[in-house]
Amino acid sequence: MSSPDRLLLHNLPRQLTSFVGREREIAEVKRLLDATRVLTLTGMGGCGKTRLSLEVAASLMQEKQYPDGVWFVDLSPLADPMLVPQALASALSISEQPGRTLTATLLDHLRPRHVLLVVDNCEHLLAASKAMAGTLLSYCPDLKILATSRQVLGVSGETTWRTPPLTLPDPAQQQQLSPESVEQYEAMQLFVERARFRRPDFQATHENIRHITQICYRLDGIPLALELAAARVSVLSVEQIATRLDHTFRLLIGGNATAQPRQQTLLALLDWSYDLLAEREQKLLRSLSVFAGGCDLDAVAAVWAAETDEFEVIELLSQLVDKSLAMMEERGGQVRYRLLETIRRYAEEKLAVCNEVGGVRNRHFHWYLGLAERAESEIQSPIQAEWLNRLDMEHDNLRVALGWALDGMEEEKAEKGLRMSGALWQFWDRHGYWSEGRETLASALTLAGPAATPVRAKALNGAGALARNQGDYEQALKFHEAALDIFQQLGDRKGVAGAYSGLGIVATDRRDFAGAGLFYERSLALYRQLDDMSNVVRLLNNWGHTLVAGGDYVRARSLFEEGLIISRQLGNKRFSAALLNNLGEAARIQGDFGSAKS
């Protein structure tokens, strides 16, 4: 008796391992294929495009949607684009005919048939694949093509669909995960299942679930990477694998011996993708490795090279996105670009090999230094929230930039790190990143030279504010007094006013209301002399709070009222609303309920 498979027309390779998850993806690919004649699954190498296409093809074959067959064509072994027609003919068991081109024979065979061709690994033969697909689709009305490629084919009428990584747990929630959580996430399911191939007794436990989560997250849910990592459980514990992922490309070697050589190691797979890039595409990919948490177009252009035309950067970025090496995403209404962590580490190694680290890191730092200093001037403005959100979005890049400047004993770099730290202290203050800010400022102040500069004074003032937020009043006083001393030496009246303001806030927190009033009075006088009305409003508000805490409601209301008038003149709605609220609260405490309501 014939087996069921033999009653079906196909040449799909029999899979030796189970298929994990992807139910939603299979349904979506089938839906898209039903609505188009050519569908290309894109995505980086190792993301599971081939296996997904085969699962979809097998499902459609079982449903008998293609009565003349489902045929798999693997282009990966080919190097010569002239051999593409031969690969199709071999898959369909078609022989050449004397006096005719092979393409003509293929067209005659396929024209009357209702067929699905699954064409795998098109990216290195893109032009030939596009030409063949276009010809077949033009002359064979009932033919459909499901292709896989790291880059879109560019065929007329083509639909593209990016293959996502396997679903992952949020590492921030790893404390809540249990062994049963494995069934909720495809990446964890795949890792555990493949690990059992090497150790049949392997299972997720309360002891190793955190490390399994780390492995899946660090490897971006990429199926190939997870399979290679799972193969290591024969010689390493899950914890040992997780702690060695900084050396990913040396660790993830081996795996499926029957796979193509380029798929037997993650490094070989990425080398394959990298080698297909044009030289300037390779250079941009290397440059992108310095970013953490993504970046916008302006940052890419700044780090790539100052003299580069922006439109060239857009074109190169488009090529990397099309070739599934970079990702484009929208966050907060802004388009951002990022690399999967696995690709980023690969590109970072290439950056070092090409001796480009210093220049790229330097440009990255100066771009984010400029961003921090622009934000510093806007944080007190009516668009404060916009800039605080922008800095928060770039927080990982700011950390990387500061880490580069403060790594080692180079005083010149550390001076730049001090400058950036001084520009960022208000961001750390507003978002509550007090410990991070204090640690960074402490490193910068220690590593930078001791010269009495405005940059050092500003950083000291910021360190004082963050120390005060954490209740470390002794250190706060020392920092603000040191800042005041430098500002006075330099004759910087605005800086002196800021230091007095900081000392006033510390005194208020220590309930020394009389001392706070003296500091505020000096600060306010200087800001008035400088006609710095935004800071005048801020000082009036702070001093008013101090007076309320000390029970002097009459004078507090007077300061709030003056601040409200100036704030309205400046058009600062945020501060006006706050002052109006403070004025009403002071009136209510004083028992003046009529004024409180108004």
Side-chain angles (χ1 to χ4, degrees):
M1 180 180 290
S2 297
S3 69
D5 265 5
R6 292 186 180 177
L7 299 176
L8 300 170
L9 295 172
H10 75 93
N11 70 335
L12 301 180
R14 189 176 296 276
Q15 301 303 310
L16 303 179
T17 58
S18 62
F19 186 72
V20 174
R22 302 283 205 191
E23 289 85 2
R24 291 185 303 275
E25 288 85 348
I26 290 174
E28 179 64 7
V29 171
K30 289 168 70 174
R31 184 189 69 79
L32 291 171
L33 193 58
D34 189 52
T36 189
R37 293 194 60 210
V38 55
L39 173 63
T40 303
L41 308 187
T42 63
M44 69 164 288
C47 74
K49 301 183 296 295
T50 298
R51 190 64 190 272
L52 177 58
S53 71
L54 288 171
E55 289 299 316
V56 170
S59 175
L60 292 171
M61 179 191 67
Q62 293 293 339
E63 295 169 8
K64 300 183 180 179
Q65 291 201 25
Y66 296 90
D68 295 308
V70 176
W71 307 96
F72 179 72
V73 185
D74 184 8
L75 301 185
S76 64
L78 303 185
D80 185 352
M82 300 296 291
L83 294 177
V84 170
Q86 182 60 61
L88 267 70
S90 297
L92 293 163
S93 300
I94 295 173
S95 300
E96 290 191 59
Q97 297 177 4
R100 306 193 71 207
T101 65
L102 188 53
T103 299
T105 303
L106 281 167
L107 291 175
D108 283 348
H109 176 81
L110 291 171
R111 188 177 293 113
R113 288 177 166 83
H114 193 174
V115 164
L116 174 66
L117 288 181
V118 181
V119 187
D120 193 36
N121 292 296
C122 299
E123 60 274 346
H124 65 302
L125 301 170
L126 201 63
S129 300
K130 174 183 177 180
M132 179 55 66
T135 300
L136 292 176
L137 291 166
S138 295
Y139 289 94
C140 305
D142 291 322
L143 169 71
K144 288 202 176 187
I145 295 175
L146 176 60
T148 75
S149 175
R150 290 170 218 182
Q151 185 175 1
V152 297
L153 301 186
V155 182
S156 178
E158 176 184 20
T159 299
T160 61
W161 186 79
R162 186 174 296 277
T163 308
L166 298 175
T167 56
L168 290 163
D170 184 344
Q173 298 177 339
Q174 62 184 4
Q175 300 300 328
Q176 288 78 48
L177 295 177
S178 67
E180 292 73 29
S181 303
V182 168
E183 297 304 316
Q184 300 175 32
Y185 302 103
E186 295 166 347
M188 297 174 77
Q189 288 180 49
L190 181 66
F191 179 85
V192 171
E193 187 168 307
R194 297 301 188 259
R196 286 176 182 151
F197 288 169
R198 300 304 178 107
R199 277 179 45 197
D201 63 337
F202 182 86
Q203 58 183 335
T205 66
H206 289 287
E207 289 72 30
N208 68 19
I209 191 68
R210 180 168 62 89
H211 299 300
I212 292 174
T213 304
Q214 289 175 349
I215 292 168
C216 293
Y217 189 76
R218 290 285 302 278
L219 295 178
D220 299 307
I222 299 170
L224 175 65
L226 292 168
E227 294 199 13
L228 292 171
R232 287 301 185 192
V233 301
S234 59
V235 292
L236 296 172
S237 70
V238 178
E239 181 178 3
Q240 288 173 318
I241 295 171
T243 57
R244 285 164 173 77
L245 285 181
D246 285 337
H247 307 285
T248 304
F249 305 112
R250 293 182 62 192
L251 177 67
L252 303 186
I253 297 172
N256 182 3
T258 65
Q260 292 287 338
R262 64 185 173 83
Q263 293 181 318
Q264 291 182 28
T265 77
L266 190 59
L267 178 60
L269 191 68
L270 291 172
D271 280 340
W272 163 271
S273 295
Y274 183 79
D275 290 341
L276 290 174
L277 298 176
E279 182 179 346
R280 289 179 76 73
E281 293 169 355
Q282 291 178 345
K283 183 176 180 181
L284 181 58
L285 183 69
R286 296 193 297 268
S287 297
L288 290 174
S289 70
V290 301
F291 291 102
C295 55
D296 60 21
L297 178 62
D298 291 338
V300 176
V303 169
W304 164 235
E307 71 280 3
T308 302
D309 184 276
E310 183 185 65
F311 292 101
E312 182 188 11
V313 176
I314 293 172
E315 176 59 27
L316 291 171
L317 269 174
S318 298
Q319 291 297 321
L320 293 181
V321 170
D322 287 346
K323 294 172 183 178
S324 304
L325 287 167
M327 300 178 67
M328 185 189 79
E329 56 191 14
E330 193 168 325
R331 288 173 55 190
Q334 300 294 318
V335 172
R336 293 178 66 79
Y337 304 89
R338 72 179 181 91
L339 305 180
L340 290 176
E341 182 61 16
T342 307
I343 296 175
R344 194 197 65 77
R345 289 200 298 271
Y346 174 85
E348 190 174 45
E349 290 189 7
K350 289 291 186 183
L351 190 73
V353 169
C354 295
N355 295 314
E356 296 170 342
V357 175
V360 174
R361 288 281 178 197
N362 189 52
R363 291 194 292 274
H364 178 273
F365 173 83
H366 279 93
W367 172 256
Y368 285 103
L369 171 62
L371 179 70
E373 291 184 333
R374 291 199 303 275
E376 179 187 18
S377 64
E378 298 289 356
I379 282 179
Q380 298 294 340
S381 76
I383 57 172
Q384 175 192 89
E386 177 184 329
W387 277 93
L388 287 173
N389 289 337
R390 184 172 181 185
L391 289 180
D392 208 33
M393 186 177 290
E394 298 291 1
H395 199 175
D396 289 332
N397 279 309
L398 295 169
R399 286 167 172 154
V400 166
L402 281 166
W404 175 79
L406 302 177
D407 179 23
M409 302 300 292
E410 296 180 45
E411 188 172 305
E412 184 179 350
K413 280 173 59 178
E415 288 283 356
K416 294 177 180 178
L418 184 66
R419 180 176 155 192
M420 188 172 185
S421 302
L424 286 174
W425 77 261
Q426 292 181 83
F427 162 67
W428 289 321
D429 179 35
R430 298 294 199 283
H431 277 288
Y433 302 136
W434 300 330
S435 295
E436 177 182 352
R438 288 188 70 183
E439 290 168 9
T440 305
L441 282 163
S443 296
L445 288 164
T446 300
L447 293 170
T453 63
V455 170
R456 187 173 189 82
K458 185 200 296 183
L460 286 165
N461 222 25
L466 297 177
R468 178 193 64 78
N469 285 336
Q470 292 190 313
D472 189 351
Y473 300 124
E474 294 302 323
Q475 279 297 316
L477 282 172
K478 289 179 182 178
F479 284 131
H480 284 308
E481 287 169 351
L484 177 62
D485 182 56
I486 294 175
F487 283 131
Q488 287 174 331
Q489 290 179 50
L490 297 172
D492 184 340
R493 290 191 295 163
K494 185 171 182 177
V496 170
Y500 278 140
S501 174
L503 288 166
I505 296 172
V506 174
T508 298
D509 284 359
R510 301 182 80 175
R511 305 194 67 75
D512 177 8
F513 302 128
L518 291 174
F519 287 127
Y520 284 138
E521 189 171 19
R522 294 172 186 172
S523 178
L524 187 59
L526 286 167
Y527 281 132
R528 289 188 194 279
Q529 291 172 21
L530 294 166
D531 198 30
D532 186 346
M533 302 315 290
S534 291
N535 273 313
V536 166
V537 170
R538 183 174 59 83
L539 258 294
L540 290 169
N541 184 61
N542 289 351
W543 195 356
H545 277 297
T546 298
L547 291 168
V548 168
D552 190 347
Y553 307 118
V554 173
R555 194 173 181 199
R557 290 174 65 180
S558 173
L559 295 182
F560 287 143
E561 286 170 351
E562 183 184 358
L564 181 59
I565 292 169
I566 298 172
S567 183
R568 284 172 170 169
Q569 290 172 347
L570 294 173
N572 192 325
K573 295 180 180 180
R574 182 180 63 86
F575 240 132
S576 296
L579 283 160
L580 188 61
N581 182 69
N582 294 338
L583 184 58
E585 184 65 16
R588 185 190 64 77
I589 294 173
Q590 198 178 5
D592 185 355
F593 297 108
S595 296
K597 288 180 181 179
S598 62

